[in-house]
Each structure stands twice: as C-alpha cells, then as structure tokens.
Amino acid sequence: MKELKVELKNNPYKIIIEENLLENNLCKYIKEVYNNKKIFIITDDCVEKLYLNKVMNKLKNDFELDYVVIPHGEESKSIEQYIYVCQELIKKDIRRNNLLIALGGGVIGDLCGFVASSLYRGLPYIGIPTSLLSQMDSSIGGKTGIDFYGRKNILGAFKQPKLVLIDPKTHDTLDKREFNNGMGELIKHGVIGNKKLLDLLKDKPKISEEIIYESLKVKKRVVEIDEFDTGERMTLNFGHTFGHIIELKFGYKHGEAVAVGMLMALRMGMDLNITPKECYDAVYDILKKYDLPLDYYDYKEYLHDTIFDKKNLAGTVNFILIPKLGECMIYKLSEDDLKEKF
Ligand SMILES: NC(=O)c1ccc[n+]([C@@H]2O[C@H](COP(=O)([O-])OP(=O)(O)OC[C@H]3O[C@@H](n4cnc5c(N)ncnc54)[C@H](O)[C@@H]3O)[C@@H](O)[C@H]2O)c1
Ligand SMILES: [Zn+2]
C-alpha cells in the first residue's frame, strides 16, 4: 500500500494506491472518511459490467447502496447526461449528506465531480478511477466538468474529492490503447518532475503501486502549489501544447498525442540549447519500450497554431521545456519572438 496526502488548506485528502484494494480494504477506507449510510455510485456501462457488482458486494453490509449508469465515452460528458444523473439521484431521494462515488475513467470522474460540486450546492464524493489515465491525471486536482456547445470542459467547477482509491489491478481489463493513453501522462510526470520514476521505468516493469505513487507525487506537488490553475499547473501541460494540435488533426488518443508532443517539445528545447540530446534519447527510449507512438512531426510547422491554443494567454505562448530529466521550465514566447526566432 502507498499513500499520498494532497495538502490543500480547505480540502486535504488522501490518495490510496493498493493492489487488490477493490477486493480487500475498500470498505475500511471509505469508512475512514464517511460515517453516514447512503452511497450512490456513478459509473458507465463498461465499468458496470466489470466492477460494479464487485464493489457493491464489498460495501453492501455496511452501507445502503444505489447507483446510476450512463453510456461510456466522451459523449457522456454532456449536459444531457448531467441532467440525467441529477434527475436519477433526486428520484432516488439523495440527501445533501449522502456520498457519491465516481467509479470509472475520466469521463465518470469529471461528470460525477461536477454533479458533486453542484447538486445541493455540493456533496461529498470519492473517486475510484479505473482507467490508467484517470488514475494518473483526472482523479487528482479537483477539476470537474462537462463538454458543452462544442467546447471541452467548458462548464465545470473545482471540487476536491474526500478520497481517491486506486487499485492497479484494474489495469488488467484495460485494452492496449487505453493503457497507453495513461502511460503518456505517467511518463510525462517523470520527465517534468521525477527522475526516479524514469529510472523505475527503464526495464519496462508492470505498473506497480510504487510507479503510480512516484508519478502522482509530481501532480500532487503542483496541485498543492496551484489549486485553482493560475500558474504552476501549466507545467503539467508539457507535451500538450503540440500534443493537442496533433490529437485533433491526426486522431491520436490523448496520452498518445502527449507522447508525440513531448518529443516535439524536447526537439524545440534542443534547438534552443535548453534540452540536452541525452534527455531526448532517454525519453524516446522509454516511450518506445511502452509502445507509445514516436511519429515525427516538425514542431516548427505547428508553432503558429500554438498561438490559437485556448491555454495561451493573450499573445504569449508558454512552452514547457526540459533543461534536465526530472526538471522543467516555462519558456515564454511572444508572437513577435516567435516570428523572429523560428
Ligand atoms: N479533470 C481533469 O483534471 C482531467 C485531466 C485529464 C483528463 N480529463 C478528462 O478525462 C477524460 C478521459 O478519461 P479516460 O481516458 O479515463 O476516458 P473514459 O472515462 O472514457 O474511459 C475510457 C474507456 O475505458 C473504459 N474503462 C475505464 N476503466 C476501465 C477498466 N479498468 N477496464 C476496462 N475498461 C475501462 C471506460 O468505460 C471507457 O470506455 C476526458 O474527458 C478528459 O477531458 C480530465
Ligand atoms: Zn493530458
């Protein structure tokens, strides 16, 4: 078992990483943060088939349980599913001191978290992320929300969970591409903030409690400094500035696009004499070991598009570059610099 505590002033919470947690200590950990009876589980139809009964069986002697299932996939991060989930919960007579559990990937986590932030002006919720991507990224940091009007994550709120429970055993049922999707973010954490994590990955081990722990340490540290995403959190965007463009243009999964985007940012760093070549080679080798895409795109061709990325503040592009493995820096480029230097 590995444990991390996200030290936020008003909403501190634990992340527990434990192999077979869903089979063994699930009930114990929930009882540590919740002492009422009623729990509502929100999940999608894929995760329902794999894990809902398992979870309900472990909890049924200690809690009164009910659940809401929505279709799987990004389309469910919608206002329609938000309304559906709220309606079902109200029909089922949810009260403001009841607990929600988000059982599933990032879609369930983001939607359930948003319901938890808004229904009764806020309900407690626990995240049980089951995809590697949600374990690495979306379940930590309190960003919740849905897509609306053609825009991703445009309606949302910051809402921290009471607890996050990660069982690495859930990786056994993920298909290869979903697994890779999370690996992109996991490796990113090593590159920007934890050299030890990259060393652990060298021999392509199975993703263990320790590896998840080392990866989440990086996200936790950044979230603690910048709970509401006004500065430091942008370092988590390493690989994303180019990655977002590639993802939309060529249909990669998010984590795969992050892998390709990291290589582009590393090459940009090399051209600016910020990133040593060994650094690029080391990241390339790890991505290759885990079968992530290594496709080459010339970053210079995409620099112009980065100006239109929604994350860039008026006229300045913040690139996250790597001076050394396990360290990152923010490199600001104005539109004028951009024209001049590249
Ligand atoms: N809030 C944040 O900070 C944050 C950060 C990153 C991503 N996100 C969001 O997360 C979402 C993507 O998350 P995702 O990749 O988990 O998508 P997802 O929730 O759609 O899950 C991917 C697929 O895997 C299935 N699945 C989940 N766990 C499984 C398991 N153990 N075995 C087999 N199948 C399983 C799901 O049913 C789904 O079909 C996006 O909407 C993205 O915007 C949010
Ligand atoms: Zn990402």
Side-chain angles (χ1 to χ4, degrees), residues 137 185 188 240 254 258:
D137 200 350
E185 302 284 359
K188 177 199 77 180
H240 285 62
H254 179 71
V258 169

Side-chain angles (χ1 to χ4, degrees), residues 180-208:
N180 278 358
N181 202 19
M183 275 313 290
E185 302 284 359
L186 188 152
I187 295 167
K188 177 199 77 180
H189 286 151
V191 181
I192 62 170
N194 190 343
K195 168 84 166 53
K196 180 179 170 194
L197 171 60
L198 298 177
D199 294 338
L200 285 171
L201 293 174
K202 267 192 185 132
D203 299 322
K204 203 195 168 186
K206 205 167 173 294
I207 299 308
S208 60

Side-chain angles (χ1 to χ4, degrees), residues 19-32:
E19 189 84 26
N20 287 319
L21 186 155
L22 296 184
E23 286 289 338
N24 298 325
N25 292 322
L26 178 65
C27 200
K28 180 185 106 180
Y29 291 131
I30 294 177
K31 279 183 172 169
E32 282 174 15

Side-chain angles (χ1 to χ4, degrees), residues 252-264:
Y252 290 104
K253 279 194 152 287
H254 179 71
E256 296 172 336
V258 169
V260 173
M262 286 196 282
L263 294 176
M264 292 167 84

Side-chain angles (χ1 to χ4, degrees), residues 44-48 50-51 72-74 77 104-110 129-135 137-145 147 152-153 169-175 178 181-182 185 219 233 240 253-254:
D44 73 27
D45 55 351
C46 283
V47 178
E48 175 196 13
L50 295 165
Y51 298 107
H72 67 280
E74 182 70 26
K77 244 174 75 172
V107 165
I108 287 296
D110 281 9
T130 56
S131 67
L132 184 58
L133 184 113
S134 58
Q135 293 172 356
D137 200 350
S138 55
S139 63
I140 289 110
K143 282 190 187 175
T144 74
D147 307 333
K152 247 181 93 69
N153 304 322
K169 192 86 181 107
T170 53
H171 303 169
D172 293 355
T173 53
L174 283 175
D175 72 33
E178 288 301 345
N181 202 19
E185 302 284 359
K219 176 138 189 188
R233 265 208 209 192
H240 285 62
K253 279 194 152 287
H254 179 71

